[in-house]
Amino acid sequence: MDMAIDEARQAAARREVPVGAVIVDSAGQILARAHNEPLGHCDPTAHAEIQALRQAGAVLGNYRLENCVLVVTLEPCFMCTGALVHARVAGVVFGAADRKAGTVISCLDGLDQPFHNHIPWHMGGIRSAACAALLRDFFRRTATGSAADGPKAP
């Protein structure tokens, strides 16, 4: 989770919502590290989870990430839970729950639907205070205008 938090900090430094993700294989090797980049890429699908799935798929040469685990600082949204199911990740570990849009446990049990062809295990609340603080601080700065000017140039 520390690596995912580092990724979230990188997102915040670029004025992106601070969410970071890491994908590890069954041996504990890091396959991907990513953070939110929708603003910088002008891409609504550039969530940290999706970016990490893309990287890990490229490393493995396969979109199926069986025996891999995603570690992410915020409970995944509806789009991301769907992608995680299709990628067939073994498990999902998240930090802060997302009471407004989280679809692992908060708003929907999105990973546990009986119609899925694959159901990843999941656990939340890992380093949740640190993960939530990154988001809270970011949105406080945004409300005061210091992070609301859009992404910084690369």
Side-chain angles (χ1 to χ4, degrees), residues 1 4 8 13 19 29 42 49-50 60 69 74 83-84 92 99 101 112 126-127 135 137-138 140 143 145:
M1 185 61 77
V19 178
Q29 297 295 314
C42 299
E49 300 94 325
I50 302 297
L60 295 177
V69 174
L74 181 65
L84 293 164
V92 177
R99 306 263 182 251
D112 296 319
I126 309 304
R127 304 272 326 268
L135 290 157
D137 293 347
F138 175 81
R140 280 187 184 142

PDB file of all heavy atoms in Angstrom, residues 1 4 8 13 19 29 42 49-50 60 69 74 83-84 92 99 101 112 126-127 135 137-138 140 143 145:
ATOM      1  N   MET A   1       0.831  -1.200   0.000  1.00  0.00           N
ATOM      2  CA  MET A   1       0.000   0.000   0.000  1.00  0.00           C
ATOM      3  C   MET A   1       0.869   1.255   0.000  1.00  0.00           C
ATOM      4  O   MET A   1       0.462   2.274  -0.554  1.00  0.00           O
ATOM      5  CB  MET A   1      -0.951  -0.024   1.200  1.00  0.00           C
ATOM      6  CG  MET A   1      -1.933   1.115   1.228  1.00  0.00           C
ATOM      7  SD  MET A   1      -3.064   1.215  -0.182  1.00  0.00           S
ATOM      8  CE  MET A   1      -4.234  -0.050   0.217  1.00  0.00           C
ATOM      9  N   ALA A   4       1.371   2.372  -3.494  1.00  0.00           N
ATOM     10  CA  ALA A   4       0.142   2.959  -4.038  1.00  0.00           C
ATOM     11  C   ALA A   4      -0.051   4.371  -3.497  1.00  0.00           C
ATOM     12  O   ALA A   4      -0.453   5.281  -4.245  1.00  0.00           O
ATOM     13  CB  ALA A   4      -1.060   2.075  -3.714  1.00  0.00           C
ATOM     14  N   ALA A   8      -0.369   7.888  -5.475  1.00  0.00           N
ATOM     15  CA  ALA A   8      -1.434   8.869  -5.237  1.00  0.00           C
ATOM     16  C   ALA A   8      -0.845  10.262  -5.026  1.00  0.00           C
ATOM     17  O   ALA A   8      -1.394  11.254  -5.524  1.00  0.00           O
ATOM     18  CB  ALA A   8      -2.277   8.450  -4.033  1.00  0.00           C
ATOM     19  N   ALA A  13       0.346  15.833  -7.060  1.00  0.00           N
ATOM     20  CA  ALA A  13       1.327  16.809  -7.526  1.00  0.00           C
ATOM     21  C   ALA A  13       1.000  17.295  -8.940  1.00  0.00           C
ATOM     22  O   ALA A  13       1.382  18.400  -9.321  1.00  0.00           O
ATOM     23  CB  ALA A  13       2.727  16.200  -7.497  1.00  0.00           C
ATOM     24  N   VAL A  19      -5.287   9.150  -6.368  1.00  0.00           N
ATOM     25  CA  VAL A  19      -5.520   7.716  -6.252  1.00  0.00           C
ATOM     26  C   VAL A  19      -4.341   7.029  -6.912  1.00  0.00           C
ATOM     27  O   VAL A  19      -3.938   7.400  -8.021  1.00  0.00           O
ATOM     28  CB  VAL A  19      -6.835   7.287  -6.929  1.00  0.00           C
ATOM     29  CG1 VAL A  19      -7.022   5.773  -6.841  1.00  0.00           C
ATOM     30  CG2 VAL A  19      -8.019   8.014  -6.289  1.00  0.00           C
ATOM     31  N   GLN A  29       6.142  -9.795  -7.077  1.00  0.00           N
ATOM     32  CA  GLN A  29       6.843  -8.895  -7.987  1.00  0.00           C
ATOM     33  C   GLN A  29       5.896  -7.790  -8.446  1.00  0.00           C
ATOM     34  O   GLN A  29       4.743  -8.062  -8.808  1.00  0.00           O
ATOM     35  CB  GLN A  29       7.361  -9.656  -9.209  1.00  0.00           C
ATOM     36  CG  GLN A  29       8.384 -10.714  -8.883  1.00  0.00           C
ATOM     37  CD  GLN A  29       9.660 -10.119  -8.333  1.00  0.00           C
ATOM     38  OE1 GLN A  29      10.192  -9.142  -8.855  1.00  0.00           O
ATOM     39  NE2 GLN A  29      10.146 -10.696  -7.255  1.00  0.00           N
ATOM     40  N   CYS A  42      -6.655  13.588 -20.914  1.00  0.00           N
ATOM     41  CA  CYS A  42      -7.969  13.899 -21.498  1.00  0.00           C
ATOM     42  C   CYS A  42      -8.727  12.601 -21.768  1.00  0.00           C
ATOM     43  O   CYS A  42      -9.294  12.386 -22.844  1.00  0.00           O
ATOM     44  CB  CYS A  42      -7.813  14.723 -22.783  1.00  0.00           C
ATOM     45  SG  CYS A  42      -7.000  16.301 -22.517  1.00  0.00           S
ATOM     46  N   GLU A  49      -6.475   2.420 -11.469  1.00  0.00           N
ATOM     47  CA  GLU A  49      -6.660   0.978 -11.653  1.00  0.00           C
ATOM     48  C   GLU A  49      -6.531   0.579 -13.123  1.00  0.00           C
ATOM     49  O   GLU A  49      -5.879  -0.420 -13.448  1.00  0.00           O
ATOM     50  CB  GLU A  49      -8.043   0.535 -11.150  1.00  0.00           C
ATOM     51  CG  GLU A  49      -8.296   0.817  -9.683  1.00  0.00           C
ATOM     52  CD  GLU A  49      -9.012   2.134  -9.419  1.00  0.00           C
ATOM     53  OE1 GLU A  49      -8.779   3.122 -10.155  1.00  0.00           O
ATOM     54  OE2 GLU A  49      -9.821   2.171  -8.475  1.00  0.00           O
ATOM     55  N   ILE A  50      -7.152   1.348 -14.003  1.00  0.00           N
ATOM     56  CA  ILE A  50      -7.121   1.049 -15.437  1.00  0.00           C
ATOM     57  C   ILE A  50      -5.700   1.211 -15.970  1.00  0.00           C
ATOM     58  O   ILE A  50      -5.216   0.377 -16.745  1.00  0.00           O
ATOM     59  CB  ILE A  50      -8.108   1.953 -16.218  1.00  0.00           C
ATOM     60  CG1 ILE A  50      -9.540   1.789 -15.697  1.00  0.00           C
ATOM     61  CG2 ILE A  50      -8.004   1.706 -17.712  1.00  0.00           C
ATOM     62  CD1 ILE A  50     -10.151   0.418 -15.862  1.00  0.00           C
ATOM     63  N   LEU A  60       2.962  -8.670 -18.997  1.00  0.00           N
ATOM     64  CA  LEU A  60       2.699 -10.103 -19.120  1.00  0.00           C
ATOM     65  C   LEU A  60       2.379 -10.543 -20.546  1.00  0.00           C
ATOM     66  O   LEU A  60       2.380 -11.747 -20.834  1.00  0.00           O
ATOM     67  CB  LEU A  60       1.543 -10.506 -18.202  1.00  0.00           C
ATOM     68  CG  LEU A  60       1.797 -10.370 -16.707  1.00  0.00           C
ATOM     69  CD1 LEU A  60       0.545 -10.739 -15.926  1.00  0.00           C
ATOM     70  CD2 LEU A  60       2.983 -11.217 -16.277  1.00  0.00           C
ATOM     71  N   VAL A  69      -2.721  -9.371  -7.871  1.00  0.00           N
ATOM     72  CA  VAL A  69      -3.513  -8.617  -6.905  1.00  0.00           C
ATOM     73  C   VAL A  69      -3.327  -7.135  -7.173  1.00  0.00           C
ATOM     74  O   VAL A  69      -2.202  -6.664  -7.365  1.00  0.00           O
ATOM     75  CB  VAL A  69      -3.084  -8.956  -5.458  1.00  0.00           C
ATOM     76  CG1 VAL A  69      -3.791  -8.061  -4.448  1.00  0.00           C
ATOM     77  CG2 VAL A  69      -3.359 -10.421  -5.155  1.00  0.00           C
ATOM     78  N   LEU A  74      -8.054   3.844  -3.063  1.00  0.00           N
ATOM     79  CA  LEU A  74      -9.476   4.156  -2.922  1.00  0.00           C
ATOM     80  C   LEU A  74     -10.302   3.007  -3.492  1.00  0.00           C
ATOM     81  O   LEU A  74      -9.952   2.445  -4.529  1.00  0.00           O
ATOM     82  CB  LEU A  74      -9.815   5.455  -3.674  1.00  0.00           C
ATOM     83  CG  LEU A  74     -11.255   5.942  -3.604  1.00  0.00           C
ATOM     84  CD1 LEU A  74     -11.641   6.342  -2.181  1.00  0.00           C
ATOM     85  CD2 LEU A  74     -11.448   7.131  -4.559  1.00  0.00           C
ATOM     86  N   ALA A  83     -13.606  -3.756 -15.079  1.00  0.00           N
ATOM     87  CA  ALA A  83     -12.322  -4.072 -15.710  1.00  0.00           C
ATOM     88  C   ALA A  83     -11.547  -5.112 -14.892  1.00  0.00           C
ATOM     89  O   ALA A  83     -10.909  -6.007 -15.460  1.00  0.00           O
ATOM     90  CB  ALA A  83     -11.491  -2.801 -15.866  1.00  0.00           C
ATOM     91  N   LEU A  84     -11.622  -5.032 -13.582  1.00  0.00           N
ATOM     92  CA  LEU A  84     -10.921  -5.992 -12.727  1.00  0.00           C
ATOM     93  C   LEU A  84     -11.485  -7.402 -12.893  1.00  0.00           C
ATOM     94  O   LEU A  84     -10.736  -8.379 -12.906  1.00  0.00           O
ATOM     95  CB  LEU A  84     -10.994  -5.549 -11.264  1.00  0.00           C
ATOM     96  CG  LEU A  84     -10.222  -4.271 -10.955  1.00  0.00           C
ATOM     97  CD1 LEU A  84     -10.650  -3.690  -9.625  1.00  0.00           C
ATOM     98  CD2 LEU A  84      -8.728  -4.527 -10.999  1.00  0.00           C
ATOM     99  N   VAL A  92      -8.353  -7.876  -4.823  1.00  0.00           N
ATOM    100  CA  VAL A  92      -8.315  -6.422  -4.769  1.00  0.00           C
ATOM    101  C   VAL A  92      -8.169  -6.010  -3.308  1.00  0.00           C
ATOM    102  O   VAL A  92      -8.953  -6.433  -2.456  1.00  0.00           O
ATOM    103  CB  VAL A  92      -9.600  -5.804  -5.354  1.00  0.00           C
ATOM    104  CG1 VAL A  92      -9.579  -4.290  -5.224  1.00  0.00           C
ATOM    105  CG2 VAL A  92      -9.802  -6.243  -6.798  1.00  0.00           C
ATOM    106  N   ARG A  99     -17.751   6.132  -0.177  1.00  0.00           N
ATOM    107  CA  ARG A  99     -19.182   6.071   0.124  1.00  0.00           C
ATOM    108  C   ARG A  99     -20.062   6.640  -0.993  1.00  0.00           C
ATOM    109  O   ARG A  99     -21.244   6.344  -1.059  1.00  0.00           O
ATOM    110  CB  ARG A  99     -19.480   6.822   1.415  1.00  0.00           C
ATOM    111  CG  ARG A  99     -18.639   6.351   2.592  1.00  0.00           C
ATOM    112  CD  ARG A  99     -19.374   5.358   3.451  1.00  0.00           C
ATOM    113  NE  ARG A  99     -18.549   4.966   4.582  1.00  0.00           N
ATOM    114  CZ  ARG A  99     -18.001   3.768   4.709  1.00  0.00           C
ATOM    115  NH1 ARG A  99     -18.194   2.851   3.793  1.00  0.00           N
ATOM    116  NH2 ARG A  99     -17.266   3.464   5.757  1.00  0.00           N
ATOM    117  N   ALA A 101     -19.119   6.555  -4.543  1.00  0.00           N
ATOM    118  CA  ALA A 101     -19.008   5.883  -5.847  1.00  0.00           C
ATOM    119  C   ALA A 101     -18.325   4.523  -5.788  1.00  0.00           C
ATOM    120  O   ALA A 101     -18.115   3.905  -6.825  1.00  0.00           O
ATOM    121  CB  ALA A 101     -18.273   6.792  -6.827  1.00  0.00           C
ATOM    122  N   ASP A 112     -18.886  -9.076  -6.506  1.00  0.00           N
ATOM    123  CA  ASP A 112     -19.535 -10.303  -6.032  1.00  0.00           C
ATOM    124  C   ASP A 112     -20.844 -10.623  -6.748  1.00  0.00           C
ATOM    125  O   ASP A 112     -21.726 -11.240  -6.175  1.00  0.00           O
ATOM    126  CB  ASP A 112     -19.811 -10.188  -4.528  1.00  0.00           C
ATOM    127  CG  ASP A 112     -18.542 -10.089  -3.715  1.00  0.00           C
ATOM    128  OD1 ASP A 112     -17.590 -10.804  -4.026  1.00  0.00           O
ATOM    129  OD2 ASP A 112     -18.519  -9.291  -2.756  1.00  0.00           O
ATOM    130  N   ILE A 126      -7.186  -1.002   4.367  1.00  0.00           N
ATOM    131  CA  ILE A 126      -5.741  -1.081   4.586  1.00  0.00           C
ATOM    132  C   ILE A 126      -5.150   0.320   4.469  1.00  0.00           C
ATOM    133  O   ILE A 126      -5.267   0.964   3.429  1.00  0.00           O
ATOM    134  CB  ILE A 126      -5.075  -2.036   3.567  1.00  0.00           C
ATOM    135  CG1 ILE A 126      -5.781  -3.388   3.532  1.00  0.00           C
ATOM    136  CG2 ILE A 126      -3.587  -2.167   3.855  1.00  0.00           C
ATOM    137  CD1 ILE A 126      -5.876  -4.110   4.855  1.00  0.00           C
ATOM    138  N   ARG A 127      -4.551   0.805   5.554  1.00  0.00           N
ATOM    139  CA  ARG A 127      -4.005   2.169   5.625  1.00  0.00           C
ATOM    140  C   ARG A 127      -5.070   3.204   5.238  1.00  0.00           C
ATOM    141  O   ARG A 127      -4.776   4.204   4.577  1.00  0.00           O
ATOM    142  CB  ARG A 127      -2.772   2.332   4.736  1.00  0.00           C
ATOM    143  CG  ARG A 127      -1.612   1.393   4.940  1.00  0.00           C
ATOM    144  CD  ARG A 127      -0.563   1.805   5.963  1.00  0.00           C
ATOM    145  NE  ARG A 127      -0.280   3.195   6.116  1.00  0.00           N
ATOM    146  CZ  ARG A 127       0.670   3.878   5.457  1.00  0.00           C
ATOM    147  NH1 ARG A 127       1.421   3.292   4.565  1.00  0.00           N
ATOM    148  NH2 ARG A 127       0.864   5.141   5.711  1.00  0.00           N
ATOM    149  N   LEU A 135      -6.933  12.249   0.045  1.00  0.00           N
ATOM    150  CA  LEU A 135      -8.110  12.733  -0.674  1.00  0.00           C
ATOM    151  C   LEU A 135      -8.712  13.960  -0.008  1.00  0.00           C
ATOM    152  O   LEU A 135      -9.021  14.954  -0.671  1.00  0.00           O
ATOM    153  CB  LEU A 135      -9.147  11.619  -0.773  1.00  0.00           C
ATOM    154  CG  LEU A 135      -8.743  10.481  -1.703  1.00  0.00           C
ATOM    155  CD1 LEU A 135      -9.472   9.203  -1.342  1.00  0.00           C
ATOM    156  CD2 LEU A 135      -8.984  10.874  -3.147  1.00  0.00           C
ATOM    157  N   ASP A 137      -7.305  16.175   1.978  1.00  0.00           N
ATOM    158  CA  ASP A 137      -6.433  17.342   1.817  1.00  0.00           C
ATOM    159  C   ASP A 137      -6.494  17.896   0.401  1.00  0.00           C
ATOM    160  O   ASP A 137      -6.518  19.105   0.193  1.00  0.00           O
ATOM    161  CB  ASP A 137      -4.990  16.980   2.180  1.00  0.00           C
ATOM    162  CG  ASP A 137      -4.816  16.652   3.656  1.00  0.00           C
ATOM    163  OD1 ASP A 137      -5.736  16.941   4.463  1.00  0.00           O
ATOM    164  OD2 ASP A 137      -3.755  16.088   4.001  1.00  0.00           O
ATOM    165  N   PHE A 138      -6.529  16.997  -0.575  1.00  0.00           N
ATOM    166  CA  PHE A 138      -6.621  17.417  -1.975  1.00  0.00           C
ATOM    167  C   PHE A 138      -7.903  18.213  -2.213  1.00  0.00           C
ATOM    168  O   PHE A 138      -7.874  19.296  -2.800  1.00  0.00           O
ATOM    169  CB  PHE A 138      -6.577  16.192  -2.895  1.00  0.00           C
ATOM    170  CG  PHE A 138      -6.787  16.525  -4.339  1.00  0.00           C
ATOM    171  CD1 PHE A 138      -5.745  17.007  -5.116  1.00  0.00           C
ATOM    172  CD2 PHE A 138      -8.032  16.361  -4.933  1.00  0.00           C
ATOM    173  CE1 PHE A 138      -5.935  17.317  -6.454  1.00  0.00           C
ATOM    174  CE2 PHE A 138      -8.234  16.662  -6.271  1.00  0.00           C
ATOM    175  CZ  PHE A 138      -7.180  17.146  -7.033  1.00  0.00           C
ATOM    176  N   ARG A 140      -9.798  19.727  -0.056  1.00  0.00           N
ATOM    177  CA  ARG A 140      -9.776  21.007   0.689  1.00  0.00           C
ATOM    178  C   ARG A 140      -9.007  22.050  -0.101  1.00  0.00           C
ATOM    179  O   ARG A 140      -9.439  23.205  -0.199  1.00  0.00           O
ATOM    180  CB  ARG A 140      -9.145  20.816   2.073  1.00  0.00           C
ATOM    181  CG  ARG A 140     -10.085  20.244   3.071  1.00  0.00           C
ATOM    182  CD  ARG A 140      -9.475  20.230   4.457  1.00  0.00           C
ATOM    183  NE  ARG A 140     -10.381  19.570   5.374  1.00  0.00           N
ATOM    184  CZ  ARG A 140     -10.011  18.782   6.354  1.00  0.00           C
ATOM    185  NH1 ARG A 140      -8.721  18.556   6.600  1.00  0.00           N
ATOM    186  NH2 ARG A 140     -10.900  18.221   7.136  1.00  0.00           N
ATOM    187  N   ALA A 143     -11.103  23.141  -3.048  1.00  0.00           N
ATOM    188  CA  ALA A 143     -12.190  24.048  -2.650  1.00  0.00           C
ATOM    189  C   ALA A 143     -11.695  25.463  -2.426  1.00  0.00           C
ATOM    190  O   ALA A 143     -12.439  26.427  -2.641  1.00  0.00           O
ATOM    191  CB  ALA A 143     -12.862  23.519  -1.387  1.00  0.00           C
ATOM    192  N   GLY A 145      -9.200  26.708  -4.157  1.00  0.00           N
ATOM    193  CA  GLY A 145      -8.677  27.211  -5.425  1.00  0.00           C
ATOM    194  C   GLY A 145      -7.250  26.871  -5.729  1.00  0.00           C
ATOM    195  O   GLY A 145      -6.802  27.061  -6.841  1.00  0.00           O
TER     196      GLY A 145
END
